[in-house]
Amino acid sequence: MALLSTSVYLSSITERHIEKVVAENWALARPIQARLRRDHVDFPGGTELTVPILTGSEPNVQAFAGTDLIPLALGAPINRARYLMKRYSAQLVIPTDEILVNSGPEAIVDLVSVRRRNLEISLDDMIGTDLITSTGTGSAVRTVEGIENIIDNVTSTGGIGPADLASWSAKVTTTSESIASNLRAIQDGFGAVTIGAEMPTLAATTQTILNQMWQSGMQMQRLVDESGASLGFTALGFNMRPVVVDAGIPANHFLWLNERYLKLHIHKQDNFRAIYIDKLPDQDVSLWRITVTLAPSTDNRRMHFKHTNLQVS
């Protein structure tokens, strides 16, 4: 009988080493979603989310003297924006035999825990993308309305278009501008949505643009609100405001957001609710399901800015 080779001999008596950590290899950075979820507004129910907005000044304001007539014109300075709630779900299906195999001391990693974490990341990733880029506004559209649609000067949001209300329009720049030599275009956007003490609280862009900002403005990096970094995301400072990279931001885009006027509403009874469904009657599988009902909204569209054509060269 021939002797076994060294490799066969060792494989007969040596256990394989498997790391007891499963690394996430696909999840992307979603700081806008993280901040909106942190500061979200609970709502108890209803067919839609209604946001009251002031649309203009009162008509009966004038200078007068003596017996001048004081006008009694009727005014309607209050309107409403309406946002529909959208629902998302994520469901995990695991056959019982997989759970049984991955049990006891033979389990290198906890299959259920790893799969549940992956389920949560999958749901976060989908919602994070839709919160930025989805254009859905009607009842036939399943996804939420994205910030790219809310922060616009052409589209409707909340059922109101720029033609319906002159001030119901975000500040948008589409002209190609380079930030290779200076950051004036970014400063112009900040100034465009600054009114007195009201100013943007967060900027979001791509990694390419952030890299150019880092190269062009070393001094500004020390002037940053740390709230962005406290959520686990790297933030560059500009006018003492965090500038973060969000995976959902399209190429060449830069957003200035005023989070006072940008909210994420989540149903208080369906706030990423996780339930376990044990053993389906006709299959030997177990289910874990996560659901959420939510809608982003703005009640002051003009306080946000979007540049769609920033160049780095």
Side-chain angles (χ1 to χ4, degrees):
M1 176 180 177
L3 293 176
L4 294 175
S5 66
T6 302
S7 60
V8 174
Y9 160 69
L10 290 176
S11 66
S12 300
I13 62 173
T14 305
E15 180 73 22
R16 286 181 300 165
H17 174 72
I18 301 176
E19 289 288 341
K20 296 187 178 183
V21 176
V22 180
E24 299 164 3
N25 280 274
W26 62 273
L28 302 172
R30 306 289 185 184
I32 291 180
Q33 178 188 191
R35 290 174 68 103
L36 289 177
R37 283 180 61 177
R38 179 195 62 185
D39 302 322
H40 79 273
V41 178
D42 287 326
F43 73 95
T47 58
E48 64 185 17
L49 172 66
T50 301
V51 181
I53 58 174
L54 286 173
T55 62
S57 60
E58 294 288 347
N60 303 314
V61 179
Q62 68 170 24
F64 81 103
T67 60
D68 290 348
L69 293 177
I70 298 177
L72 298 174
L74 295 176
I78 301 177
N79 203 334
R80 63 180 180 179
R82 299 180 296 177
Y83 294 90
L84 298 178
M85 298 299 156
K86 305 294 183 176
R87 299 200 72 199
Y88 286 78
S89 70
Q91 190 156 277
L92 173 61
V93 181
I94 302 183
T96 300
D97 57 354
E98 291 187 12
I99 297 175
L100 293 175
V101 168
N102 183 251
S103 62
E106 285 71 30
I108 302 299
V109 295
D110 187 330
L111 174 66
V112 174
S113 296
V114 170
R115 289 290 305 277
R116 283 195 60 181
R117 175 58 182 153
N118 202 47
L119 185 71
E120 294 167 358
I121 295 172
S122 300
L123 182 58
D124 285 349
D125 196 57
M126 172 175 280
I127 293 175
T129 297
D130 289 348
L131 277 174
I132 302 296
T133 59
S134 173
T135 58
T137 58
S139 58
V141 181
R142 296 291 184 259
T143 56
V144 297
E145 181 180 351
I147 290 173
E148 282 280 339
N149 192 76
I150 292 174
I151 303 175
D152 203 85
N153 58 356
V154 177
T155 64
S156 296
T157 185
I160 304 174
D164 304 318
L165 178 62
S167 61
W168 196 241
S169 177
K171 303 296 191 297
V172 178
T173 300
T174 60
T175 303
S176 178
E177 295 184 76
S178 173
I179 60 172
S181 57
N182 65 73
L183 304 177
R184 176 61 186 268
I186 294 174
Q187 173 59 31
D188 287 346
F190 185 90
V193 288
T194 297
I195 302 176
E198 290 287 352
M199 58 188 67
T201 59
L202 176 71
T205 188
T206 66
Q207 187 67 58
T208 300
I209 291 176
L210 190 79
N211 291 346
Q212 183 62 59
M213 292 179 65
W214 179 90
Q215 181 176 336
S216 301
M218 295 297 291
Q219 293 294 327
M220 72 181 182
Q221 294 175 56
R222 295 192 294 270
L223 306 176
V224 60
D225 180 341
E226 296 298 333
S227 59
S230 67
L231 287 171
F233 300 98
T234 300
L236 193 68
F238 190 96
N239 287 348
M240 298 188 71
R241 297 297 185 267
V243 183
V244 298
V245 172
D246 194 291
I249 304 295
N252 307 116
H253 281 222
F254 189 98
L255 306 181
W256 277 118
L257 309 176
N258 189 326
E259 294 163 294
R260 179 178 176 183
Y261 303 110
L262 183 67
K263 298 297 182 183
L264 181 63
H265 301 259
I266 303 178
H267 199 292
K268 66 180 183 179
Q269 295 180 346
D270 195 29
N271 185 350
F272 293 88
R273 181 175 54 124
I275 61 173
Y276 170 63
I277 305 172
D278 188 20
K279 300 295 184 350
L280 294 180
D282 56 348
Q283 286 181 292
D284 194 18
V285 298
S286 297
L287 298 179
W288 284 261
R289 181 181 300 155
I290 304 173
T291 60
V292 61
T293 301
L294 72 171
S297 72
T298 187
D299 56 356
N300 201 340
R301 200 179 191 189
R302 66 179 182 147
M303 300 305 293
H304 311 293
F305 169 83
K306 175 172 64 176
H307 201 310
T308 65
N309 204 358
L310 276 186
Q311 309 295 324
V312 297
S313 60

